[in-house]
Amino acid sequence: MIVKYIPKCANCNDQPPVSPMVMVMSACVSKLWLLLLLQVMVLNSIKQVSVQAPGLVPSGSQVILTCSYSVSPGEYIDSIKWYLNTSEIYRIVPGLNRDRVLTFPPGGSSVSLPQSGILKPGTHRLVINNASRESAGSYICQVTESRPPFSTEQAAVRLHVLVRPPSSPSLSGLSPSYQLGSLLNVSCRTQPGLPPPEISWSINGKQVNARSFNISYLPDGLAVSSSVLLLRLSSPKIPSRLVVKCSSHIGQIYQDDVVGRASVFRPSKPVLGEPLLSAQGRHRGGDSLGILVILAFRLA
């Protein structure tokens, strides 16, 4: 057997030399970890971004949107931007002496600059004048940090602007009278508006469920809603007079009604009285009367 002798190193702490490529890769990995750690620290410095706004406002009204945010101690805000859907409409860059404010048409043309701005650290207000259909959409508040990598946090809220229907809804299919047990089949259709009007039904003040509900959009973007009410008038408790009401409503700021009236008739019941005499009874009665007449004649 041949045993090969491997001499031990004189200094066990000595290591083979490291190639330059390995040293470069090691440095890159270290820098990458450092950047990731820095980004996590910065990302965590912006917290609790939220937006408050009314869900539905009348056309022509003033709208106030509020963006709330918080940053870690020692951190500062580089900018606050507002977007309507995907287009930037407003930007503010806080400064030591004066804030720099920019607006971007078309959405930014309705922003009230004197009333918009930072109310206090952590709160920004955006004011929209004369709200219209073009003002409706998703409003996004984006807050950006003041140092690299300039991380951002954002929150969004949706705003609806009321387009009031020009007139009351309309009823169709209501007959003036019904027989007990027949089918009540009534349709209701709203006038164009936005957001799409909702429809509710009631009979004699009591709410009833609709059979169907549909929304259709017109070429100008307005919506028309329609609903069908089907009800079998079979209950003996149904009153003889029906007041059918269709209500069209949008949120809590619009409602209009249309009312129809109908009568319910019940089948007439037979009148109970004395039973009719049979032919045999009538014959016997006639015989008795004849006998009495004969007796009276003989006695006379």
Side-chain angles (χ1 to χ4, degrees):
M1 181 177 65
I2 300 175
V3 178
K4 186 176 180 180
Y5 174 73
I6 302 176
K8 295 183 179 180
C9 61
N11 188 358
C12 294
N13 293 328
D14 292 341
Q15 299 294 331
V18 179
S19 65
M21 181 62 69
V22 174
M23 295 179 64
V24 171
M25 293 179 62
S26 177
C28 291
V29 171
S30 299
K31 290 181 179 180
L32 180 60
W33 278 106
L34 182 61
L35 288 175
L36 289 175
L37 180 61
L38 178 62
Q39 186 175 9
V40 170
M41 294 175 61
V42 174
L43 283 174
N44 290 336
S45 64
I46 305 178
K47 303 175 182 178
Q48 300 177 355
V49 177
S50 61
V51 181
Q52 292 82 35
L56 177 65
V57 297
S59 178
S61 63
Q62 186 182 77
V63 185
I64 298 177
L65 302 97
T66 304
C67 180
S68 303
Y69 58 91
S70 62
V71 296
S72 299
E75 298 294 339
Y76 299 94
I77 296 300
D78 175 76
S79 65
I80 299 174
K81 301 177 183 179
W82 284 90
Y83 293 83
L84 175 54
N85 299 322
T86 58
S87 300
E88 184 179 1
I89 61 172
Y90 176 93
R91 181 189 303 177
I92 182 172
V93 180
L96 295 178
N97 299 320
R98 186 178 180 182
D99 297 337
R100 186 164 60 94
V101 179
L102 300 173
T103 58
F104 305 90
S109 58
S110 59
V111 174
S112 174
L113 291 178
Q115 296 175 288
S116 301
I118 298 177
L119 300 180
K120 60 182 180 179
T123 303
H124 184 272
R125 180 176 66 185
L126 184 73
V127 179
I128 305 295
N129 284 333
N130 194 24
S132 62
R133 288 179 59 183
E134 290 72 23
S135 306
S138 177
Y139 282 83
I140 304 170
C141 175
Q142 186 182 87
V143 182
T144 303
E145 277 282 355
S146 61
R147 64 179 182 178
F150 301 104
S151 62
T152 62
E153 290 291 331
Q154 65 185 34
V157 66
R158 189 156 194 88
L159 176 69
H160 297 278
V161 178
L162 172 67
V163 178
R164 189 181 298 271
S167 58
S168 302
S170 59
L171 276 180
S172 61
L174 183 65
S175 300
S177 62
Y178 294 88
Q179 288 286 342
L180 186 66
S182 59
L183 182 65
L184 179 72
N185 186 352
V186 189
S187 299
C188 181
R189 181 181 175 89
T190 70
Q191 299 299 316
L194 273 181
E198 298 288 335
I199 293 178
S200 60
W201 292 90
S202 67
I203 296 181
N204 293 355
K206 183 178 180 181
Q207 189 170 0
V208 291
N209 295 326
R211 173 66 179 271
S212 64
F213 176 77
N214 296 293
I215 299 174
S216 57
Y217 287 89
L218 304 179
D220 60 359
L222 298 180
V224 174
S225 302
S226 59
S227 178
V228 175
L229 176 65
L230 287 179
L231 182 64
R232 180 69 66 179
L233 304 175
S234 57
S235 174
K237 297 181 180 180
I238 291 180
S240 59
R241 300 287 183 180
L242 298 181
V243 179
V244 181
K245 183 169 73 172
C246 169
S247 300
S248 170
H249 51 89
I250 303 177
Q252 301 295 323
I253 62 177
Y254 167 80
Q255 179 173 336
D256 204 350
D257 307 323
V258 60
V259 176
R261 290 173 171 82
S263 301
V264 179
F265 295 96
R266 289 169 169 78
S268 58
K269 298 179 180 179
V271 179
L272 299 179
E274 296 181 358
L276 298 176
L277 295 175
S278 63
Q280 183 178 4
R282 289 196 301 270
H283 180 70
R284 290 178 178 177
D287 293 344
S288 300
L289 182 58
I291 295 173
L292 290 176
V293 171
I294 295 173
L295 289 176
F297 179 76
R298 288 181 178 180
L299 290 175

